[in-house]
Amino acid sequence: MESAVKRRASATQSTPNKPKRLRKEKVEESEHDFSRLKEAVMSRSSHPDGDWAETCREWELVSIYREPGGHCSCNKPIVEHCVIRNQETKEELIVGNVCVERFGRKELKVDKKVFEGLHSLSENDLAAATPSVLKRGRELGFLTKRFVADYKKEASGEGCRVRYNPEHKNFDEEKATKRRQWNDQILFAFREVPKNECAKCGTLKSVVRMHGRTKEPFWACPKFSDHGR
């Protein structure tokens, strides 16, 4: 009887597995260095010593793209990039799809389905762009209303699945070529844009003036002079 009690006591003492799981979760969370992100955001805002919530309202989403080998402003390696711009200082930052949620604004959040849709297009040039990709491209000004309408019409037509399947007897080479061109346009829009290139028209931008505090140049597109940096 006494030995059974001892066995139960030793069993209860030898199962501290939950603390180990908690420690692992803390390590994963610590990979996102919020203090580093906050410093990068505040130093590029109009009021570096201001309130975090107020400062977050100065930032807008200007671009997203999917590319391995990138780094968030918190220093965590990322694949899914969100490019945000301060509307007051015109400064830009790259943050991941996790840290962008720390701004607490739905205008900056990017649905995971958008990045999944972009990945699908990069893997298969005949895949259909998802509604989330088309919607976000329209919201960012990357895709025109006419382009989105034509794409949706073509993608929802009768027999559209077999027309874009090379292994099917009803495969339409002409329509497949057109879809490849459209998908290339979408992927070109959702890409990393060099600072001296206009995100909308691809024209090389020129320096219009220097930032008074950071001494960094402001770039402007000759076609759209109000694009910012």
Side-chain angles (χ1 to χ4, degrees):
M1 183 74 177
E2 195 172 320
S3 61
V5 172
K6 287 183 178 180
R7 282 198 299 272
R8 283 198 295 271
S10 62
T12 55
Q13 291 176 0
S14 62
T15 57
N17 294 326
K18 288 187 178 180
K20 289 184 179 180
R21 258 199 311 271
L22 290 173
R23 282 198 296 271
K24 184 178 180 181
E25 289 172 3
K26 287 183 179 179
V27 170
E28 292 175 352
E29 180 65 23
S30 66
E31 293 179 2
H32 297 277
D33 190 346
F34 177 66
S35 61
R36 190 162 185 163
L37 171 69
K38 185 176 181 180
E39 181 184 353
V41 172
M42 299 301 290
S43 64
R44 290 166 175 79
S45 301
S46 60
H47 298 91
D49 299 322
D51 177 68
W52 170 254
E54 289 293 330
T55 300
C56 288
R57 295 192 182 98
E58 296 182 1
W59 293 84
E60 62 178 347
L61 182 70
V62 294
S63 180
I64 61 173
Y65 62 94
R66 193 179 186 282
E67 186 71 34
H71 280 83
C72 174
S73 293
C74 75
N75 205 38
K76 180 178 173 62
I78 57 173
V79 174
E80 299 168 353
H81 301 67
C82 302
V83 183
I84 58 176
R85 177 189 296 152
N86 188 289
Q87 300 174 70
E88 301 295 330
T89 64
K90 306 304 180 185
E91 294 276 358
E92 291 184 1
L93 280 175
I94 293 176
V95 295
N97 64 340
V98 173
C99 282
V100 77
E101 296 191 5
R102 294 184 181 271
F103 287 76
R105 297 179 55 210
K106 66 177 183 179
E107 297 90 348
L108 297 181
K109 292 181 180 180
V110 181
D111 190 342
K112 188 76 173 177
K113 292 180 180 179
V114 178
F115 288 111
E116 291 173 353
L118 292 174
H119 179 61
S120 176
L121 290 180
S122 64
E123 293 290 309
N124 179 10
D125 59 2
L126 285 177
T130 60
S132 56
V133 169
L134 297 175
K135 180 182 178 182
R136 180 57 77 173
R138 185 77 187 97
E139 291 172 348
L140 291 173
F142 293 164
L143 307 175
T144 64
K145 185 177 181 179
R146 175 70 180 272
F147 177 91
V148 173
D150 289 346
Y151 196 103
K152 286 182 176 180
K153 182 179 179 180
E154 194 69 28
S156 60
E158 186 179 349
C160 62
R161 291 186 179 181
V162 298
R163 284 202 304 268
Y164 300 113
N165 184 357
E167 298 179 359
H168 198 277
K169 63 178 182 179
N170 292 333
F171 173 69
D172 192 321
E173 182 63 47
E174 183 178 345
K175 289 188 178 297
T177 301
K178 188 175 183 179
R179 172 168 281 190
R180 288 191 184 98
Q181 293 173 346
W182 281 356
N183 286 346
D184 285 344
Q185 283 183 252
I186 294 173
L187 291 175
F188 181 78
F190 288 95
R191 77 194 193 287
E192 181 180 8
V193 181
K195 284 188 175 182
N196 66 333
E197 181 180 315
C198 177
K200 290 189 176 181
C201 67
T203 304
L204 291 180
K205 297 186 286 187
S206 57
V207 177
V208 290
R209 64 186 177 89
M210 303 297 287
H211 193 285
R213 179 167 53 83
T214 64
K215 306 302 180 185
E216 292 189 7
F218 279 97
W219 301 85
C221 173
K223 294 183 180 180
F224 305 93
S225 58
D226 61 338
H227 268 200
R229 218 163 64 106

